Amino acid sequence: MNLPTSVTLVEMGPRDGLQNESASISLATKLRLIDDLAAAGLSVIESGSFVNPKWIPQMADSAEVFRGLQRRAGVRYTALTPNLQGLERALDAGADEVAVFAAASEAFSRKNINCGIAESLQRFEPVMARAEAAGVRVRGYVSCVLGCPYEGEIAPQNVLEVARALLGLGCHEVSLGDTIGTGTAGSTQRLLDALLPQIPAQQLALHCHDTYGQALANILVGLQNGIATVDASVAGLGGCPYARGATGNVATEDVVYMLNGMGIHTGIDLDALVSAGARISEALGRRNGSRAANALLASAG
Ligand code: HMG
Ligand code: MG
């Protein structure tokens, strides 16, 4: 087995998590969440999204979020940027790293970013050039890698093509999004069988939504294949506005609990993370979506 000795967790709660909440969330609540996560040891925190605010109103104040951050040393505060306009806004607000997002499904691409896959890749070209000139790294996402709400099954070959295109454009890493959480240990292995001969595991991350409760199993398959970057969302916050019924990313607490049990280093203080998840769940009036956090909170009385 090819298990990594340490894993980087990329925290999605403030972006993928909060983007899907319908209640309005104060700037102070967002800033508190991000700082709690940084204090717990998360070193990469996706803190906002510079998309069309008419599409995702919850992220409309991302510039204020970035300007209000109490930056902690060693933490990268990152943002989604779908186009040049978004990138300029992100640079202006001080994002440390940005991300472009494509899909392996044509239909999902059109719903999510209002253009097809090929056009989206063209749209990213000036984004990459401008980011490089500004000295800012770009992550790439591929959505629907293990299934699409509109097209159903997605061929691994489609994922490979989009992932290679993103790396070819200059993305330092590609995060594989199981947007609707339909993937299983079997389909995750088949996907990685198609990708890993062409793309080194170090350039891949897993981004599992936990809709079908398969995320930890899929992440374990990723780890066994040498993937050492995992996206997760504290308290399992979130969903996807363009994938009805999809739940949030796998809870960060659950991933840390699993990795601790495997002796894999994350640099994260699980107790502090559980407190962060409890605080944001309470602020949102939402049930905590982390099984490990609920168990730890119950056992602490
Ligand atoms: P569009 O409507 O096709 O863009 O949107 P447009 O270029 O035709 O512009 C229309 C209007 O949008 C104009 O304003 C632009 O100024 C404005 P108007 O003249 O009508 O007043 N606009 C912007 N405003 C602010 N910031 C911008 C921006 N761009 C245009 N960056 C666009 C195209 C991509 C912008 C739009 O479709 C969009 O914002 N989509 C984002 C959807 C989104 O955020 N989805 C969720 C995030 S992705 C995700 O969750 C998946 C992931 O987690 C991985 C996984 O789970 O699979 C990453
Ligand atoms: Mg997502």
Side-chain angles (χ1 to χ4, degrees):
M1 237 190 283
N2 192 13
L3 286 175
T5 53
S6 83
V7 160
T8 301
L9 284 165
V10 179
E11 174 58 43
M12 291 289 132
R15 194 283 300 172
D16 206 342
L18 298 187
Q19 78 179 6
N20 207 40
E21 289 291 324
S22 44
S24 96
I25 302 165
S26 72
L27 182 60
T29 301
K30 292 183 179 184
L31 290 171
R32 179 70 199 254
L33 170 63
I34 294 168
D35 200 53
D36 281 352
L37 292 163
L42 267 308
S43 61
V44 192
I45 305 176
E46 203 163 78
S47 305
S49 178
F50 294 92
V51 298
N52 183 343
K54 286 188 192 135
W55 289 51
I56 311 282
Q58 202 59 264
M59 293 289 113
D61 63 351
S62 284
E64 287 81 0
V65 168
F66 275 87
R67 293 206 180 93
L69 290 174
Q70 289 206 317
R71 286 172 178 276
R72 289 180 187 252
V75 179
R76 265 152 51 212
Y77 299 92
T78 70
L80 288 190
T81 54
N83 54 16
L84 204 46
Q85 190 178 342
L87 177 67
E88 293 297 352
R89 292 176 57 211
L91 293 176
D92 197 46
D96 297 325
E97 181 180 313
V98 298
V100 294
F101 45 107
S105 144
E106 194 66 27
F108 187 85
S109 180
R110 289 184 191 282
K111 293 270 185 198
N112 194 35
I113 52 175
N114 209 19
C115 65
I117 299 169
E119 191 187 338
S120 75
L121 294 169
Q122 274 175 11
R123 197 184 270 182
F124 298 152
E125 281 174 26
V127 178
M128 301 302 301
R130 175 73 181 96
E132 193 184 357
V136 165
R137 294 205 306 175
V138 185
R139 173 181 232 221
Y141 285 96
V142 184
S143 285
C144 298
V145 301
L146 294 169
C148 167
Y150 313 107
E151 293 183 10
E153 240 175 81
I154 295 292
Q157 191 61 30
N158 295 3
V159 180
L160 176 63
E161 277 168 26
V162 180
R164 285 182 70 178
L166 289 170
L167 292 169
L169 283 171
C171 290
H172 71 91
E173 135 185 311
V174 166
S175 177
L176 302 168
D178 184 8
T179 316
I180 53 171
T182 49
T184 62
S187 60
T188 302
Q189 184 62 60
R190 284 191 292 279
L191 175 65
L192 295 179
D193 285 344
L195 299 187
L196 288 173
Q198 310 276 345
I199 301 174
Q202 296 85 325
Q203 290 188 321
L204 293 173
L206 281 183
H207 177 105
C208 299
H209 286 260
D210 203 21
T211 317
Y212 286 76
Q214 303 298 302
L216 284 180
N218 299 345
I219 290 166
L220 180 58
V221 168
L223 298 171
Q224 288 167 342
N225 283 271
I227 292 182
T229 305
V230 175
D231 299 358
S233 177
V234 69
L237 294 177
C240 176
Y242 301 102
R244 196 186 306 177
T247 65
N249 291 104
V250 63
T252 316
E253 299 92 318
D254 294 359
V255 180
V256 172
Y257 183 84
M258 178 176 85
L259 294 172
N260 284 350
M262 296 172 75
I264 295 177
H265 178 78
T266 62
I268 293 166
D269 174 342
L270 182 55
D271 290 336
L273 180 63
V274 167
S275 300
R279 184 178 288 122
I280 187 65
S281 299
E282 198 185 321
L284 298 176
R286 186 185 196 280
R287 193 181 169 280
N288 193 325
S290 163
R291 300 282 292 267
N294 286 329
L296 289 166
L297 289 165
S299 70

